[in-house]
């Protein structure tokens, strides 16, 4: 029989909590608290009220005879008593952990949905470095506590509800497209919380694969139901290009590499040809020279530019004034639009919980014709079959289709228009005309007639890259409560996808039409069987833990086909439409198997002293028999000292300490040599020895990690401070080391090396304001990591991690941080750059092994502020990086070709630097003569072999500081009054205005976002052909029914 | 057990017959010698160095901006040749015919190894040799170039002696001679003639011995004997120039001014084979000048054919060497003028051109009336004839010192390089050996003369 239940909800200080939800568990009956914190609803005796409010721990209140309840909710500000999900899905009380984890709840993660959950973690977790690439579906890289592996993967492991998922980005080098990292398939709307396990002790139970840390995603279940359980969420985001992140041409000089004839002093910048047939020679610029070292603009000069060349052009045979382009390179882009719509149904009763959701995410990138569409269907449910037996299942199906990713980086430059626009262009070309000529003709009419660079609008319109992926992630689990302290748990978890990547390219100037297709099928299955125990031995002494086994099987198969020499029928993109004989398909099939056995014992005494010991034995398929079984242990202890002191100031205090070892096996198929099979020469078959020498004697690589930390909270949890310090050593790394090709190989797999990472992480939380109407929360994360290469391979003191098209390389040298930039440097005398006294140019070291910089930042940090005033909440996140050195090939080549203002302007005499020295021009570089006296020799800035471009200038000139400060996220939310929305049948409604990447407050890199770069991976901080980034604005509407 | 068998590679071969590695090495060699580059990156750059052509777009190569690599030679050719002989040697012949074929195959592979090492040693000087091609030794020492060279000549003599023209060779896998062993004997002797002549100034006794035994053994006697790698009419197996000039339509390379000055002075009909004319004229650009491509003579039609062969060694150079041997008074070789005429005639014949008699009759071409020493006469004509063999043209230019060429003003060297500098990576991957070699040859510089380049 129903009765009226009334009550009041307050916080720990006794202040009323308005807007809290009070719900009768398992029913649709619910109410929201009023301004004074009071509520009333109908409920029957024996029912359970669930009281929840954002920022507080929910409470369950069983209804007895009483009809009026005073309910106090504890804040979740510091989360110290929170239960968090740790390795293997084990729930643990945060206070008992002897290692560092940091949780981000779904709401804070999902303030702004960028489509890639990795990016959403940026700035929110200490010790986690995130780098998001610009461009449609661009990849995001996540590295926790520094790069540990010299040549392998350094990305953290992603686990969703116990399902480890593939986050590879192994296709990134395919034609220079960035295919994104595959964790992007995770739907942010389905995330309840994310817990980041940072050190080896936290991840030891995962074994080898989590040596780089793990990101444990818990998805929403049906347990927390609001209203009838239907939630609709809709967000729309618009982007505007941030002009500071793209090329801006100089406005003084037009096309040419330099004087066309007559040497440097000459002023011949136009070919003279009688274009219009009037017998008088006309001026024609050097169409096919991609640089801005031509004539100074002069509106009185009428010249026959590229657009007058083609009979199809509306400007055919029409001269135009020699002036800077009216429409610059930004003309090529569009404003992106992102739509995210989701609906979810959640519910529960005594025996079951469920949540069913559908999300559609659409992104129309900054390049026309691009689109990304992702549909996610998700079902999460659990049933109590008997009081002791619970079954649960999660099924997540994602389809994603992307069209028109754009090329970047060092991939094929044939159709890479971004590289051309940034490095090889003519600043006088008006992009709107380039578009117009293409749109009128539909032809690849190059803005460089006779040159080799295609019309970018043709490329965008006619090169249809596409990829689609159908992915299933799911698990099914049974748990049986054997006794009140012992549970047996079994689970099958699957991640599998079919991935098809197609590249359609119409005829380009340098390559005929082409089609290629790669089919990838991937699966990973994990079988887990665990015994979980948790027993209070005495009133104060608790023992808990797990014993179990994990069997993992991975299979990855890929087949690639491409046409050759063009297409027979134009526009038909199929392998059987190949004009030449297609090159034989290339195929690969790799399988991995791991059999793991693990156990843990956690002892707790009086909620004060905790000790965790874990061990895991893995047997791996990728190491040679006999050395493929290995054991790794961890031990972690914590001491909650606040239990022993009674203080008004200190509300919580814990010290923790741990040590762990994690092993890592080899990549599959790196033991036995196989042969390369080149394309047959007619009927003659060819075979070749592989470039990398495999090694049948590989053994395990090991990461050893120490960590110490302190977690504290003060003044009733109003302030919290957590500090962690750690050191990891990754030894006996399995890596291909570069060896002299005189050995017959370029590289060889060895077990060698030792990389040390040391770091410090601080997170500070506070609630400076907390009165009835206004609250202010602030969270600060800060972390630094220092890596050092302790040793490499016998006699090898440097490992070249990557070489770039210039003389730049990234290196791991013994005694140095991991990832040092080497290249040619200035020649210095007493700290001053030496200038050649004949040419006036900087002297440059003849070798390419000068240390020019360090790719690693000095530190990263983020500050999140949340202000709440009644129903309004304002959040903003400032994210920053200090240090790190980035090399810009865009600047090196773009400067060489005179596209930017660094090659124009006035010299110290007030004359244009582009004028000949003989006429008072030229540039006086700051520096000294070889004898140490100040430089007095000016250098000619008349052609593209000038002093400020590659390769005349040393590479050191194009190293930049990668520091930035960004206003990463802003959101302003308004929760509509309950009374108002209830009139419309709603249970709750929230409207938010959101913004992301609104402002790059500070950066030192010109014309680009320092975060943009190559695809995800260990090697970063090299820029070539990078896209601009956008400022994104939008709104989000969330309705609960 | 079943777990580790998951690691098996079920899609790629681990072993195959030796002929496939041999064919692949030949293809790699042809691609390498015939490749086009505007960089100073190795063998193919030699034609830029010796100013047969220049790039009017990218000037890295013509200004000698160092970017050298010996990876193709060691890793792609020598390693595959090594594997080829290893597999062939391991196979037990069942019959006499198989035994002869095995010996022939091993000898032919040996000839190609010598050929590739010759390129290395003539490019750099001291090179990893006795400790090369061993993955266990990742820091191989560099051997003295003179010793390497003399050893190569010995290996060459032994290989020639092991060839039995009555037996089979590689059959269709022989992408140079289609399995004809007699041709390989002539190739071996012609190569020996070349190597003997190369060291004539530094090691006259060994050189003379090599030349005389080569001539006795039988060198090339017509263009039929040429060692050519002929490409297919197939986009995947076309001459590298095709991809560059036709498929990608890259407008980089034109004739140089010095070459055109000579060829114009000689009214050389080969101009039309090598180049296009511009308004009826053949014009060469000054090396390293960035000038409009269309104003100068670009590479001609033959370089746009997929099937254009790459020349490993040809009859014309054999005759040029014989002319020189006659001048040097080597036993059994006489009449320098006849050999000189035959060499030029062979070159004309190769390009299917008439008018060689008129050409030879010109006073500035005629061996008896042309200007200068025999070195100058032979040097200049050889340089023109070696147009498609840029590396050999550069090497002979270094040895004969003709034609006289100057480094471009903008170049990173005051002289036309006398060697390649070692690949930059060697400093980091094999630093100690590199430093020792650089010291031993007298500095890792363009100016350092190699041991045979003594005059």
């Amino acid at each position: 029989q129903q009765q009226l239940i009334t009550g009041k909800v307050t916080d720990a200080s006794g202040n009323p909590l308005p807007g809290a939800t009070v719900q009768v568990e398992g029913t649709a009956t619910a109410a929201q608290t009023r301004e004074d914190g009071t509520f009333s609803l109908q409920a029957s005796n024996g029912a359970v009220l669930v009281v929840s409010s954002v920022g507080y721990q929910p409470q369950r209140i069983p209804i007895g005879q009483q009809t009026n309840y005073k309910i106090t909710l504890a804040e979740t500000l510091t989360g110290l008593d929170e239960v968090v999900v740790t390795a293997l899905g084990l729930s643990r009380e945060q206070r008992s952990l002897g290692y560092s984890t940091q949780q981000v709840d779904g709401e804070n993660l999902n303030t702004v949905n960028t489509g890639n959950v990795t990016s959403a973690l940026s700035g929110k977790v200490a010790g986690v470095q995130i780098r998001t690439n610009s461009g449609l579906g661009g990849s995001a890289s996540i590295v926790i506590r520094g790069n540990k592996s010299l040549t392998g993967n350094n990305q953290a492991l992603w686990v969703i509800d116990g399902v480890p998922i593939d986050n590879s980005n192994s296709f990134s080098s395919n034609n220079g497209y960035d295919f994104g990292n595959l964790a992007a398939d995770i739907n942010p709307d389905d995330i309840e919380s994310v817990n980041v396990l940072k050190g080896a002790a936290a991840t030891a139970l995962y074994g080898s694969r989590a040596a780089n840390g793990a990101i444990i995603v818990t998805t929403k279940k049906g347990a927390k139901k609001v209203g009838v359980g239907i939630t609709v969420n809709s967000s729309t985001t618009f982007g505007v290009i941030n002009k500071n992140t793209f090329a801006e041409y100089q406005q003084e000089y037009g096309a040419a590499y330099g004087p066309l004839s007559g040497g440097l002093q000459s002023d011949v910048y136009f070919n003279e040809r009688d274009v219009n047939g009037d017998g008088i020679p006309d001026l024609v610029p050097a169409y096919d020279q991609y640089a801005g070292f031509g004539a100074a603009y002069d509106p009185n000069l009428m010249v026959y530019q590229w657009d007058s060349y083609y009979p199809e052009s509306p400007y055919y045979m029409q001269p135009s004034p020699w002036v800077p382009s009216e429409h610059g390179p930004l003309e090529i882009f569009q404003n992106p639009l992102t739509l995210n719509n989701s609906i979810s149904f959640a519910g529960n009763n005594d025996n079951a919980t469920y949540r069913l959701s559908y999300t559609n995410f659409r992104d129309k990138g900054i390049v026309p014709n691009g689109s990304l569409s992702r549909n996610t269907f998700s079902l999460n449910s659990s049933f109590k079959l008997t009081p002791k037996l619970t079954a649960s299942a999660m099924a997540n199906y994602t389809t994603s289709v992307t069209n028109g990713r754009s090329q970047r980086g060092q991939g094929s430059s044939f159709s890479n228009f971004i590289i051309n626009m940034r490095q090889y262009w003519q600043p006088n070309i008006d992009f709107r005309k380039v578009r117009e000529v293409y749109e009128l003709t539909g032809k690849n009419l190059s803005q460089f007639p006779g040159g080799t660079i295609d019309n970018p609008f043709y490329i965008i319109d006619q090169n249809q890259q596409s990829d689609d992926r159908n992915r299933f992630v799911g698990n099914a689990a049974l748990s049986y409560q054997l006794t009140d302290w012992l549970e047996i748990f079994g689970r099958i978890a699957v991640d599998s996808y079919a991935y098809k990547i197609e590249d359609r390219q119409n005829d380009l100037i340098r390559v005929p039409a082409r089609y290629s297709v790669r089919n990838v099928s991937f699966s990973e299955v994990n079988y887990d069987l665990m015994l979980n125990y948790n027993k209070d031995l005495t009133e104060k002494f608790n023992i808990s833990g797990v014993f179990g086994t994990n069997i993992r099987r991975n299979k990855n198969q890929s087949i690639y086909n491409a046409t050759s020499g063009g297409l027979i029928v134009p526009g038909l993109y199929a392998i059987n439409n190949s004009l030449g004989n297609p090159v034989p398909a290339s195929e690969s099939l790799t399988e991995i198997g791991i059999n793991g056995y693990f156990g843990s014992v956690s002892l707790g005494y009086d909620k004060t002293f905790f000790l965790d010991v874990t061990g895991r034995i893995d047997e791996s398929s990728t190491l040679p028999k006999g050395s493929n079984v290995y054991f790794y242990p961890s031990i972690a202890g914590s001491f909650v000292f606040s239990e022993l002191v009674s203080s008004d100031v200190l509300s919580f205090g814990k010290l923790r300490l741990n040590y762990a070892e994690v092993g890592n096996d080899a990549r599959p198929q790196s033991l036995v040599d196989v042969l390369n099979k080149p394309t047959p020469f007619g009927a003659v078959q060819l075979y070749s020895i592989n470039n990398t020498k495999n090694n049948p004697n590989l053994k395990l690589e090991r990461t050893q990690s120490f960590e110490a930390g302190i977690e504290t909270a003060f003044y009733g949890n109003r302030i919290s401070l957590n500090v962690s310090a750690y050191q990891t050593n990754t030894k006996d790394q399995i890596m291909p080391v570069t060896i002299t090709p005189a050995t017959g190989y370029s590289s060889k797999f060895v077990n060698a090396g030792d990389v040390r990472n040391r770091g410090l992480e601080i997170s500070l939380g506070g609630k400076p304001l907390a009165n009835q109407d206004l609250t202010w929360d602030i969270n600060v994360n800060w972390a630094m990591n220092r890596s050092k290469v302790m040793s490499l391979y016998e006699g090898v003191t440097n490992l070249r991690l990557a070489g770039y098209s210039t003389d730049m390389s990234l290196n791991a040298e013994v005694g140095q941080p991991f990832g040092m930039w080497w290249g040619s440097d200035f020649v210095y005398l007493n700290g001053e750059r030496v200038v050649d006294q004949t040419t006036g140019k900087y002297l440059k070291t003849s070798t390419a092994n000068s240390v020019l910089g360090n790719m690693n930042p000095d530190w990263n940090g983020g500050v999140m502020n949340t202000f709440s005033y009644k129903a309004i909440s304002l959040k903003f996140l400032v994210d920053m990086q200090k240090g790190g050195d980035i090399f810009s090939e865009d600047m090196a080549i773009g400067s060489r070709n005179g596209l930017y203002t660094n090659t124009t302007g006035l010299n110290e005499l007030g004359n244009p630097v582009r004028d000949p020295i003989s006429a008072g021009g030229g540039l006086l570089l700051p520096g000294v003569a070889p004898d140490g006296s100040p430089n007095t020799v000016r250098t000619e800035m008349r052609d593209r072999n000038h002093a400020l471009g590659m390769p005349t200038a040393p590479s050191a000139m194009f190293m930049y500081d990668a520091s930035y400060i960004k206003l990463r996220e802003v959101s302003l939310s308004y929760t509509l009054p309950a009374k108002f929305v209830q009139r419309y049948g709603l249970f709750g409604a929230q409207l938010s205005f959101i913004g992301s990447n609104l402002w790059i407050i500070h950066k030192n890199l010109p014309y680009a976002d320092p975060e943009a770069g190559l695809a995800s991976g260990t090697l970063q901080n090299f820029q070539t052909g990078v896209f601009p980034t956008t400022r994104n604005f939008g709104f989000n509407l969330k309705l609960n029914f | 057990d079943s777990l580790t068998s998951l690691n098996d590679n079920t899609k790629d071969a681990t072993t195959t017959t030796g002929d496939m590695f041999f064919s692949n090495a030949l293809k790699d060699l042809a691609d390498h010698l015939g490749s086009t580059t505007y960089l100073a990156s190795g063998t193919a750059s030699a034609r830029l160095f010796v100013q047969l052509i220049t790039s009017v777009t990218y000037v890295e190569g013509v200004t000698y901006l160092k970017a050298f690599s010996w990876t193709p030679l060691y890793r792609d050719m020598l390693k595959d040749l090594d594997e080829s002989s290893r597999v062939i040697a391991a196979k037990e012949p069942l019959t006499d015919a198989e035994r002869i074929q095995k010996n022939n195959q091993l000898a032919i592979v040996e000839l190609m190894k010598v050929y590739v090492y010759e390129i290395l040693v003539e490019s750099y000087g001291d090179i990893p040799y006795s400790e090369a091609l061993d993955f266990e030794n990742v820091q191989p020492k560099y051997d003295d170039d003179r010793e390497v060279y003399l050893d190569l000549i010995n290996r060459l003599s032994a290989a020639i002696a092991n060839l039995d023209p009555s037996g089979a060779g590689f059959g269709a896998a022989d992408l140079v001679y289609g399995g004809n062993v007699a041709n390989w004997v002539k190739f071996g002797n012609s190569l020996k003639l070349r190597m003997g002549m190369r060291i004539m100034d530094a090691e006259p006794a060994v050189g003379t011995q090599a030349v005389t035994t080569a001539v006795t053994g039988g060198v090339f006697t017509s263009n039929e004997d040429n060692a050519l790698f002929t490409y297919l009419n197939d986009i995947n197996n076309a001459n590298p120039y095709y991809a560059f000039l036709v498929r990608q339509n890259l407008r980089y390379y034109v004739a140089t001014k010095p070459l055109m000055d000579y060829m114009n002075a000689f009214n050389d009909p080969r101009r039309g084979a090598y180049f296009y004319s511009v308004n009826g004229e053949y014009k060469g650009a000054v090396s390293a000048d960035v000038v409009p491509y269309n104003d100068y003579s670009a590479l001609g039609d033959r370089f746009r054919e997929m099937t254009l062969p790459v020349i490993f060694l040809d009859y014309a150079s054999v005759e040029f060497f014989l002319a020189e041997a006659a001048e040097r008074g080597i036993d059994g070789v006489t009449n320098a003028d006849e050999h000189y005429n035959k060499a030029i005639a062979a070159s004309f014949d190769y390009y299917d051109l008439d008018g060689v008699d008129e050409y030879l009759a010109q006073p500035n071409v005629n061996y008896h009336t042309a200007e200068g020493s025999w070195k100058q006469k032979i040097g200049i004509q050889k340089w023109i004839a070696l147009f498609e063999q840029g590396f050999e043209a550069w090497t002979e230019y270094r040895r004969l010192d003709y034609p006289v060429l100057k480094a471009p003003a903008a170049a990173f060297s005051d002289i036309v390089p006398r060697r390649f500098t070692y690949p930059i990576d060697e400093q980091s991957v094999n630093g100690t050996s590199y430093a020792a070699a650089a010291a031993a040859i007298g500095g890792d510089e363009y100016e350092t003369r190699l041991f045979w380049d003594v005059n």
Side-chain angles (χ1 to χ4, degrees), chain A residues 359-371:
Chain A
T359 303
N360 175 262
F361 175 81
R362 280 169 186 277
D363 193 357
K364 183 168 82 73
I366 58 171
V367 178
N369 272 351
S371 70

Side-chain angles (χ1 to χ4, degrees), chain B residues 87-376:
Chain B
V87 176
I88 292 166
K91 196 179 169 202
E92 280 307 313
L94 300 174
T95 63
D96 263 7
E98 281 186 11
R99 185 184 52 75
I100 294 171
Q101 183 179 24
K102 174 176 171 174
N103 286 340
N104 279 341
Q105 289 187 347
L106 288 172
I108 291 167
V109 174
E110 182 76 355
L111 293 181
M112 293 316 299
K113 286 183 187 169
V114 170
Y115 186 95
V116 176
Y117 268 122
E118 186 202 357
I119 295 173
L120 275 164
V121 76
E122 289 173 359
S123 298
Y124 298 97
D126 291 6
I127 51 163
Y129 180 72
S130 61
E131 295 182 359
L133 305 181
D134 173 10
F135 72 89
E136 300 282 7
N137 180 3
V138 297
Q139 307 208 303
K141 69 167 185 182
Y142 290 47
D143 293 290
D144 178 69
D145 55 353
R146 183 185 305 257
E147 284 168 28
V148 173
Y149 214 93
L150 298 183
D151 188 56
L152 289 176
I153 292 177
N154 286 336
R155 287 172 64 177
L156 187 52
S157 302
I160 296 167
N162 284 338
L163 286 168
D164 180 346
S166 72
F170 277 107
D174 175 356
L175 297 173
V176 176
Y177 288 126
N180 185 327
V181 177
N183 274 333
W184 283 103
V185 176
K186 288 187 185 175
F187 172 81
N189 282 315
S190 304
L191 183 60
K192 195 169 164 188
L193 167 68
R194 171 164 109 179
M195 294 180 72
M197 289 306 300
R198 202 88 90 208
I199 59 167
M200 201 57 86
D201 292 332
E203 290 281 345
V206 183
T208 305
Q209 159 85 7
V211 169
T212 51
T213 53
V215 171
T216 315
V219 293
F220 292 162
T221 53
S222 79
N223 279 328
E224 298 294 299
D225 296 333
N226 289 349
L228 304 180
F229 185 96
T230 305
Y231 283 92
L232 305 179
N233 200 16
D234 162 9
I235 191 97
N236 300 316
N237 288 300
N239 186 291
Y241 272 111
Y242 179 82
F244 206 83
L245 297 177
V246 181
R247 220 181 65 202
Q248 302 187 39
N249 189 26
L250 295 180
R251 299 167 178 226
Y252 297 176
Y253 301 131
V254 300
T256 63
K257 186 169 186 305
L259 181 66
M260 280 299 100
D261 286 351
Y262 279 112
M263 292 184 90
N264 285 335
F266 299 153
N267 293 310
D268 196 323
R270 286 171 292 185
R271 284 176 300 182
Y274 295 176
F275 299 109
Y276 290 139
S277 60
V278 180
N279 303 324
E281 276 183 78
Y282 289 96
K283 279 183 69 181
V286 175
S287 279
D289 276 8
V290 176
V291 288
Y293 178 81
N294 292 330
D295 293 357
Y296 294 90
S297 289
L299 290 164
D301 277 335
R302 63 184 284 104
F303 297 98
R304 290 150 210 271
E305 297 292 330
M306 287 194 196
T307 53
L308 174 72
V310 163
I311 304 169
F312 289 175
L313 191 59
D314 69 350
Y315 170 56
S317 21
V318 164
E319 288 292 351
F320 277 121
F321 281 123
L322 292 175
E324 185 181 338
E327 286 289 358
R328 289 178 184 267
I330 288 171
D331 276 358
V333 191
T334 52
N335 298 345
D337 52 350
E338 279 178 28
H339 289 299
Y340 172 87
N341 290 349
K342 279 184 180 174
I344 295 169
S347 177
F348 274 58
D349 176 53
Y350 185 77
Y351 292 102
D352 216 4
L353 293 170
D354 296 331
V356 68
D357 293 339
E358 293 88 330
Y359 181 78
L360 289 171
Q362 300 179 100
N364 53 3
V365 176
N366 185 290
Y367 194 69
H368 299 288
T369 55
E371 189 193 346
S373 64
W374 62 263
K375 273 194 173 185
Q376 180 173 351

